[in-house]
Amino acid sequence: MTVSLEQLQRCHVAVDLGAARTRVYVKGLGLVVDEPSVAAVNTRTGSLIAVGALAEQMTGRTPEYIRVARPVSGGTVVDIEMAQRMLRHLLGDKLRRQLRRKPRLRAAACTPHEADPLAQRATVETLVGLGARRVELVDTLIAAAVGCGLPVEQPTATMIMMCGAATTQIAVLSLGSIVTAVRIPVGGNAIDEAIIQYLRQHHELLLPSQSVRPLQLALHGNGLQLTGPALTDIHGRDVATGLARTVRVDTAAVRQAINTPLTAVLDGVGKVLRDCPPDLVADLADRGIMMVGGSALLPGLDQMLRSATGMPVHIAERPDVCSVLGLGAMLDGKIQPMVLNPLAG
């Protein structure tokens, strides 16, 4: 961990700017914001109309003068000004006044593994624009591992898989640091896109943007396994006529479409295990893989990983908020580092 726990304990607020959701943890108050990372803007006046859940409901339903923006992509802030405006409204006036009273407001933020300096600077500038005098950056994988209760500071291997909306990050941790890790540009959005493309190509059906994730869950009553209903009715719009239409879809074929992006995830797990020292791999055979992130809740994904790797696979108790809760635990001083004093002589 590049940032010391002492530095993090001086911070007042922790922020996890994700591609799908933004979460804010305030010291002494807990998790105060957990909303979609979406903002709706009036392009004629430049004014902000809605943020969070309300803005997400507007996706695909707005007149041409209203633009629905997503200022965060793949864990990286791509529009600093919009991200600041979104955060300002998500926090609300009362909470902002409380934070403004801090003489030197310090903030901690999650950054994806091996985020480039430009992405790190965008995160820092976003929070500095909200009044933070100093911003500490923590690797998302370490924060998530702390948040789901893994013994990060111990000299034993722990493997974590962060399934986000835009990326999947896999790492092996030991002694509070990342031993080996990989970041794959495949996440929940890629799985959604695979379903959309399958229905468009094979059934000439367009789905409303808001219905993809519920569809993804509904199709797999028993996850990615072969058991479950063989056929499912899907409602959408005909590509040719534009009229509403219902088609009966073979769930086995949709499973096959989803398996294509998931193969890249399995390749990433294999790469991490190949790069890992043999002693740590022996630890992982007993401990297994801990899955965190919103897309970890995809039914059957854990069984698929278990059968592909032969290792135990666990899903965190609250996988979607592990990162920000881990940062919050560091802020509150609940994590004690393993002290390695140099030997005399």
Side-chain angles (χ1 to χ4, degrees):
M1 194 185 299
T2 53
V3 183
S4 70
L5 287 171
E6 289 79 8
Q7 287 173 304
L8 287 172
Q9 285 170 22
R10 296 192 196 107
C11 294
H12 306 98
V13 60
V15 180
D16 179 16
L17 282 167
R21 297 184 78 85
T22 293
R23 299 176 177 95
V24 180
Y25 183 103
V26 176
K27 201 171 187 175
L29 295 178
L31 188 64
V32 294
V33 173
D34 184 3
E35 292 277 344
S37 305
V38 190
V41 187
N42 186 329
T43 55
R44 292 174 183 169
T45 62
S47 59
L48 208 60
I49 296 172
V51 294
L54 182 58
E56 190 174 50
Q57 289 174 11
M58 294 182 179
T59 305
R61 294 185 170 94
T62 59
E64 60 180 19
Y65 67 90
I66 295 178
R67 179 173 67 94
V68 177
R70 292 183 177 270
V72 185
S73 176
T76 302
V77 178
V78 292
D79 187 339
I80 294 174
E81 183 191 354
M82 187 60 68
Q84 287 175 349
R85 294 173 71 185
M86 179 186 75
L87 266 173
R88 204 171 285 125
H89 282 79
L90 286 176
L91 286 170
D93 294 335
K94 183 181 176 183
L95 196 54
R96 287 212 317 276
R97 279 197 300 271
Q98 284 183 356
L99 294 175
R100 216 176 284 137
R101 294 193 195 109
K102 308 286 184 187
R104 286 184 61 82
L105 180 64
R106 288 172 173 246
C110 294
T111 54
H113 178 65
E114 289 186 343
D116 58 78
L118 206 60
Q120 293 181 0
R121 183 168 178 173
T123 303
V124 171
E125 286 189 15
T126 300
L127 298 180
V128 167
L130 289 173
R133 299 293 182 89
R134 185 182 175 93
V135 180
E136 309 289 359
L137 298 179
V138 179
D139 196 301
T140 305
L141 290 164
I142 293 178
V146 171
C148 61
L150 292 176
V152 181
E153 299 290 341
Q154 298 302 313
T156 54
T158 52
M159 189 172 187
I160 188 163
M161 174 189 257
M162 181 115 196
C163 309
T167 59
T168 298
Q169 302 172 66
I170 308 160
V172 174
L173 310 175
S174 181
L175 286 172
S177 298
I178 294 173
V179 178
T180 178
V182 68
R183 186 177 168 198
I184 306 156
V186 173
N189 292 345
I191 294 170
D192 293 345
E193 190 60 32
I195 294 175
I196 290 172
Q197 290 301 323
Y198 169 78
L199 291 175
R200 183 172 186 138
Q201 290 172 8
H202 294 85
H203 297 278
E204 297 184 347
L205 194 75
L206 284 176
L207 288 176
S209 57
Q210 297 291 313
S211 71
V212 178
R213 186 49 58 90
L215 163 77
Q216 171 191 324
L217 299 176
L219 272 179
H220 312 288
N222 290 320
L224 302 171
Q225 303 306 303
L226 298 177
T227 54
L231 298 171
T232 306
D233 289 336
I234 307 295
H235 310 286
R237 194 182 76 186
D238 191 279
V239 172
T241 64
L243 299 175
R245 187 160 67 92
T246 300
V247 297
R248 184 154 285 189
V249 178
D250 181 9
T251 53
V254 178
R255 269 197 295 271
Q256 189 62 40
I258 290 178
N259 281 340
T260 304
L262 289 179
T263 303
V265 176
L266 294 177
D267 290 344
V269 173
K271 183 180 185 306
V272 168
L273 290 173
R274 285 194 300 272
D275 294 344
C276 194
D279 290 343
L280 295 183
V281 174
D283 287 347
L284 294 175
D286 298 327
R287 292 179 173 273
I289 305 170
M290 178 65 79
M291 293 176 62
V292 298
S295 298
L297 296 170
L298 174 65
L301 182 56
D302 53 338
Q303 288 100 323
M304 182 181 173
L305 278 171
R306 199 175 290 120
S307 60
T309 61
M311 292 163 52
V313 178
H314 316 281
I315 300 176
E317 189 176 342
R318 298 179 65 189
D320 48 342
V321 292
C322 278
S323 298
V324 73
L325 291 182
L327 264 186
M330 295 180 201
L331 263 62
D332 292 336
K334 294 177 181 176
I335 307 301
Q336 295 302 320
M338 183 179 178
V339 180
L340 298 172
N341 292 322
L343 298 175

